[in-house]
């Protein structure tokens, strides 16, 4: 075993401000003992048509059939997770330094140290595209999940990756068009960093218009990890009868499902319904064996954002979520 | 099959050299596998294991037949990784790792001298130990008539470089291929862009910057059971006789690109460096930053920076300016040559480009199978490694260092004796701190 899991204590959720209100509100998650915050947008429970109609330009087979999906409510990150945030988790020394700069005797960020952390990457994982204020990239789905656990250890609040359905529901923000602003890719530049305007690199988060629910960079900048295995005909399997909170648990390392286009993609890939399967080629530049379970090395177009369900899962469910079996990387 | 085998033997100099022990009969593999290329892995860490997997993923009939490492645990971990992986055979059929890794306990060699016995069993050797061993391992491999894949850098001091340059000459005479792990030379965007630069697309190259500024690498703890030799071997990154400092171990990649683009090696270097954040006893003797002026024969100065600071701007990349245009970056496989009016001279979009680490092996094993000799990597890599060592000489001493005095330096960092109870040349003081170079005081040539 190259991994030792630290068994989580049965941390029960403490009632935070947001629960005392009758209707969940947007909030900002402060990270104790740092100057970092992460904006969370309340996404109400509801239903939507998942996938795209056969007539949509640029559509792929895996987006159909369109079918009705019902979802519980959740908060979703208003932005992609940045390096400022991710590096605190990836580099323990930076966390310690931050704790010294922002002392918080009650809840120092350096206090809890049960987290499994990424190994230091051999090369610069931002590939020179910038760090402060830019989206973190090149992490594996496993590393992104362990980031959520680290954040849980620091804040006591359960965060996880979005399911594919949650992601698309939030991206659409009540719209039925190819993009959350309509069907015309000519307008994409107002909302997204993609191949035609990115000049070959990701950009500072939140520098384009948000979607109707206030979420930035859902269409471009970096693609985002979801929680799901990528199953091409999953919608065909699910489309019979009512579909509630669909989710395809990961049983194989590849492909898993990634959503939203990136700085390196054509407009069609940035559509709300577009699905992208992950690939072993995303680790092609890792010269080591075994390959890193923390860094993709060749996925400078993939990042993630966080979700928090309105209804907090049980401690056992949380523990199971944060400790997925480590799948050997071939 | 026979034809191929003969060509291979002839090309590798084994027939001409009259070496009695043919690698094809030394192991008793039967005739149905007579086109098999046998590989020994010397240095079984993560990178060596990765290189072995890449060798096994070429189109040739390759088998790992022997492994060697100073440490048994590293060797066993590597064996486990290689055998648990799946590969493709010559027909493109997926086979279990055990079909391609034929290394029973009797062909696992452990210790400082393990490499010699492992090499004797192979046609090709992969050298992936810490770089300090490279000159001695290369010398033995070429003496034994083996083709080589070896990782960069190829030495950590000037005597080591001189040895590698001698060995490179012998390899050339024996027509033994040596491919080195400066993989940018096998990466399509570098190859294409630099080919155009050399054809004059940017005019004369008159300046540039090369960088390896990043967050640093692993540190291993000292365990009570370790002798000083074992501690340094486990923590090899922080000791110059093994690693050469991060300027040599990592930044050699970028310095080599400067040399490649300039078509030569610096005639002199001056620079500055030190230890700003690596202040603990666990960081051995190396610096954490170096900043150099590389001055070439035509007077061009290329600046070079490397550092290991967490939480700072990071960039691992190169940029150059010419009289007609510039190249700002090679990162992300995307490379654009631009003129000064913003016009695009050449654009390389690398999505879907092959993996340079795999291409290294594809080209090496293809050449071996065809009986070709075509690799001048060893000499070039020795000289680029020398450039990085020269940079370390400049920052450690604070002096202006000239190429000839650097290359002729007699300072030999290698221990007089290799054994677990032998003493390396650099030892900690009573508080556990290793001596660190002081510019203006430390002598480096």
């Amino acid at each position: 075993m190259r991994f030792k899991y630290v068994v989580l204590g049965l941390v029960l959720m403490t009632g935070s401000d947001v629960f005392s209100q009758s209707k969940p509100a947007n909030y900002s998650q402060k990270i104790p003992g740092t100057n970092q915050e992460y904006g969370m947008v309340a996404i109400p429970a509801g239903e939507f048509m998942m996938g795209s109609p056969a007539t949509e330009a640029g559509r792929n087979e895996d987006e159909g059939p369109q079918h009705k999906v019902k979802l519980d409510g959740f908060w979703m990150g208003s932005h992609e997770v940045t390096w400022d945030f991710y590096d605190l988790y990836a580099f323990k020394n930076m966390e310690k330094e931050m704790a010294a700069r922002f002392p918080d005797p009650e809840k120092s960020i350096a206090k809890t140290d049960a987290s499994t952390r990424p190994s230091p990457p051999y090369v610069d994982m931002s590939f020179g595209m910038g760090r402060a204020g830019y989206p973190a990239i090149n992490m594996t789905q496993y590393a992104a999940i362990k980031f959520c656990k680290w954040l849980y250890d620091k804040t006591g609040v359960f965060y996880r990756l979005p399911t594919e359905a949650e992601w698309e529901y939030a991206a659409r923000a009540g719209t039925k068009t190819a993009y959350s602003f309509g069907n015309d890719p000519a307008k994409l530049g107002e909302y997204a960093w993609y191949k035609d305007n990115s000049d070959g690199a990701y950009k500072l988060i939140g520098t384009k218009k948000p979607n109707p629910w206030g979420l930035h960079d859902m269409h471009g900048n970096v693609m985002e990890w979801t929680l799901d295995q990528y199953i091409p005909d999953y919608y065909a399997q699910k489309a019979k009868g009512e579909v509630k909170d669909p989710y395809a648990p990961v049983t194989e390392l590849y492909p898993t499902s990634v959503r939203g286009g990136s700085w390196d993609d054509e407009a069609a890939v940035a559509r709300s319904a577009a699905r992208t399967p992950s690939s072993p080629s995303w680790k092609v530049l890792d010269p080591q064996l075994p390959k890193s379970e923390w860094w993709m090395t060749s996925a400078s177009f993939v990042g993630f954002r966080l979700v928090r369900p309105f209804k907090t899962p049980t401690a056992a469910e949380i523990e199971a979520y944060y400790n997925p079996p480590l799948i050997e990387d071939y | 099959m026979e034809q191929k085998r003969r060509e291979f033997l002839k090309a590798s100099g084994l027939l001409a050299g009259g070496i009695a022990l043919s690698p094809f009969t030394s192991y008793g593999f039967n005739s149905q596998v007579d086109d098999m290329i046998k590989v020994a892995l010397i240095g079984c860490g993560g990178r060596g294991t990765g290189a072995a997997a890449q060798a096994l993923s070429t189109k040739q009939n390759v088998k790992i037949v022997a492994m060697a490492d100073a440490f048994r645990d590293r060797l066993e971990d590597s064996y486990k990784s290689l055998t648990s992986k799946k590969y493709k055979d010559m027909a493109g059929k997926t086979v279990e790792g055990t079909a391609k890794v034929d290394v029973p306990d009797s062909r696992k060699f452990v210790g400082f001298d393990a490499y010699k016995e492992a090499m004797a069993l192979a046609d090709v050797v992969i050298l992936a130990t810490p770089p300090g061993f490279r000159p001695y391992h290369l010398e033995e491999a070429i003496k034994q008539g083996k083709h080589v894949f070896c990782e960069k850098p190829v030495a950590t001091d000037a005597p080591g470089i001189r040895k590698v340059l001698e060995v490179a000459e012998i390899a050339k005479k024996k027509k033994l291929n040596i491919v080195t792990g400066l993989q940018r030379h096998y990466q399509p965007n570098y190859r294409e862009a630099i080919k155009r630069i050399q054809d004059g697309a940017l005019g004369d190259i008159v300046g540039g910057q090369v960088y390896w500024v990043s967050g640093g690498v692993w540190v291993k703890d000292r365990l009570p059971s370790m002798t000083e030799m074992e501690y340094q071997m486990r923590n090899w990154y922080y000791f110059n006789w093994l690693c050469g400092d991060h300027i040599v171990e990592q930044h050699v990649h970028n310095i080599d690109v400067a040399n490649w683009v300039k078509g030569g090696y610096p005639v002199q270097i001056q620079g500055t460096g030190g230890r700003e954040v690596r202040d603990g006893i666990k960081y051995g003797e190396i610096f954490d930053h170096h900043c150099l002026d590389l001055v070439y024969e035509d007077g061009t100065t290329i600046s070079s920076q490397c550092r290991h600071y967490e939480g700072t701007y990071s960039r691992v990349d190169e940029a150059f300016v010419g009289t007609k245009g510039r190249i700002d970056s090679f990162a992300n496989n995307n490379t654009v040559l631009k003129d000064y009016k913003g016009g695009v001279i050449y654009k390389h979009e690398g999505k879907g480009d092959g993996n340079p680490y795999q291409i290294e092996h594809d080209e090496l094993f293809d050449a071996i199978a065809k009986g070709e000799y075509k690799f001048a990597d060893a000499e070039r890599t020795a000289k680029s490694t020398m450039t990085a060592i020269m940079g370390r000489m400049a920052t450690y001493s604070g002096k202006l260092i000239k190429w000839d005095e650097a290359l002729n330096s007699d300072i030999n960092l290698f221990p007089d004796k290799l054994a677990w109870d032998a003493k390396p040349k650099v030892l900690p003081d009573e508080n556990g701190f290793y001596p660190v170079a002081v510019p203006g005081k430390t002598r480096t040539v």
Side-chain angles (χ1 to χ4, degrees), chain A residues 91-94 120-124 126-129 131 195 200 263-265 284-290 300 330, chain B residues 46-47 49-50 53 81-82 84-86 152 212 216 249-250 310-311 314-316 331-332 349 351 355-357:
Chain A
F91 300 102
K92 203 170 160 187
N93 285 342
M94 289 182 60
Y122 184 71
V123 299
D124 162 37
S126 68
F127 286 99
M129 294 192 287
R131 240 167 162 99
K195 192 160 195 133
W263 59 269
D264 202 21
D265 289 305
V284 80
L285 283 179
D286 186 344
Q288 309 255 340
L289 192 76
S300 57
Y330 281 66
Chain B
R47 178 58 198 127
T49 310
S81 285
L82 287 169
S84 68
K85 203 172 175 293
K86 290 186 173 69
K152 41 44 68 175
W212 191 298
E249 212 281 329
Q250 290 181 316
E310 280 183 9
S314 46
R315 182 168 183 185
V316 176
N332 250 331
E349 291 191 34
K351 219 176 192 175
N355 171 0
Y357 298 101

Side-chain angles (χ1 to χ4, degrees), chain B residues 222-286:
Chain B
R222 185 192 289 271
L223 303 179
S225 62
M226 289 178 179
T227 62
E228 181 61 26
M229 182 64 84
E230 176 171 2
Y231 175 71
Q232 294 198 12
M233 289 280 286
R234 295 271 185 193
N235 234 353
W236 62 269
Y237 213 91
Y238 299 93
F239 297 95
N240 282 326
W241 71 276
L242 287 160
C243 165
D245 195 320
H246 68 127
I247 188 176
V248 176
E249 212 281 329
Q250 290 181 316
H251 194 35
V252 63
H253 281 293
N254 321 100
I255 287 173
D256 171 66
V257 173
N259 293 341
W260 187 6
V261 166
K262 281 304 294 178
Y265 302 90
V267 292
Q268 64 184 50
I269 296 178
Q270 76 84 32
T272 192
R275 271 161 79 103
E276 179 64 28
V277 298
R278 273 208 268 257
D279 50 0
I281 57 171
K282 58 186 179 177
Y283 299 116
E285 58 173 332
I286 68 172

